[in-house]
Structure formats: C-alpha cells, structure tokens
C-alpha cells in the first residue's frame, strides 16, 4: 500500500519520450514552468521549460493491485 496521496514526477517538456512514458503509466500533466537546475561556469543559470506530472494514489493502487 502506498502511504501517500500522490506520486509526482518532473521532466523537461522537450523530453517527449519521458512525457509519453509518464502518460502511459497513468500520470497527468498538472503544471509547466520555467526551471533551472544548475549554472554554467560564468554563473548564468541553465533554464528550461519543465513539466510536472501527478499520479493519484488511487491510480497507483489500481495499477499495482491487479
């Protein structure tokens, strides 16, 4: 039993294979926002458009209790 309300995953929006995999697994996109994970040597952040996907606990349980 999953002791959480939901499972959340983030990925770069341009990473279509990851987005498609999350959707096939039952996740749905809930947000899209500008993200930054690190900076280049000069200190400028590397920014990209990121997507947040959510899988509610009920869907997780249905997938894993078959």
């Amino acid at each position: 039993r999953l002791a959480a309300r939901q499972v959340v995953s983030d990925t770069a929006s341009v990473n279509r294979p990851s987005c498609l995999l999350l959707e096939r697994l039952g996740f749905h996109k809930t947000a899209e926002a500008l993200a930054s994970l690190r900076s280049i040597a000069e200190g400028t952040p590397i920014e990209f458009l990121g997507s947040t996907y959510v899988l509610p606990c009920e869907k997780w349980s249905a997938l894993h209790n078959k």
Side-chain angles (χ1 to χ4, degrees), residues 3-49:
R5 291 190 322 255
Q6 60 189 13
V7 177
V8 179
S9 180
D10 294 314
T11 189
S13 297
V14 297
N15 187 345
R16 290 303 302 150
S18 288
C19 294
L20 293 172
L21 174 62
L22 289 167
E23 291 166 7
R24 273 197 311 268
L25 292 172
F27 285 75
H28 62 276
K29 187 192 288 191
T30 59
E32 202 170 59
L34 192 59
S36 175
L37 295 178
R38 60 184 177 141
S39 299
I40 60 174
E42 294 81 25
T44 306
I46 300 170
E47 295 179 331
F48 61 94
L49 189 60

Side-chain angles (χ1 to χ4, degrees), residues 1-10 22 25-30 51-61 63-64:
R1 170 136 167 82
L2 181 65
R5 291 190 322 255
Q6 60 189 13
V7 177
V8 179
S9 180
D10 294 314
L22 289 167
L25 292 172
F27 285 75
H28 62 276
K29 187 192 288 191
T30 59
S51 295
T52 299
Y53 286 82
V54 173
L55 180 69
C57 178
E58 300 79 33
K59 276 193 170 184
W60 173 272
S61 296
L63 289 171
H64 295 287

